[in-house]
Amino acid sequence: MKRFRVEITEVLSRIVDVEATNANEAKMMVENDYRESSIVLDSSDYVKTEFCVKDEK
């Protein structure tokens, strides 16, 4: 039997509405909220799962 390393990647996504003076400020506000754990993605934000064979060991 051969041994393989398989990577599992789960993709979560959420649209967040914010009021800002421009797109850059809006992005920075959401990034900050995410880093501060004010926005936490969970299973309700699930989009897809991917499996990728990385290499043979």
Side-chain angles (χ1 to χ4, degrees):
M1 282 284 220
K2 296 179 180 180
R3 188 166 189 86
F4 297 88
R5 293 175 8 138
V6 179
E7 178 182 40
I8 304 168
T9 303
E10 287 188 340
V11 178
L12 306 176
S13 177
R14 180 185 301 174
I15 304 294
V16 178
D17 291 324
V18 295
E19 290 186 14
T21 57
N22 58 50
N24 189 48
E25 180 185 28
K27 182 181 177 217
M28 288 181 3
M29 290 169 58
V30 173
E31 285 178 358
N32 185 59
D33 286 350
Y34 180 79
R35 288 190 181 104
E36 296 287 323
S37 297
S38 298
I39 300 170
V40 178
L41 303 183
D42 60 31
S43 60
S44 67
D45 301 302
Y46 174 81
V47 175
K48 66 181 176 178
T49 303
E50 299 172 345
F51 300 88
C52 178
V53 177
K54 300 308 274 184
D55 55 37
E56 182 180 335
K57 285 191 105 170

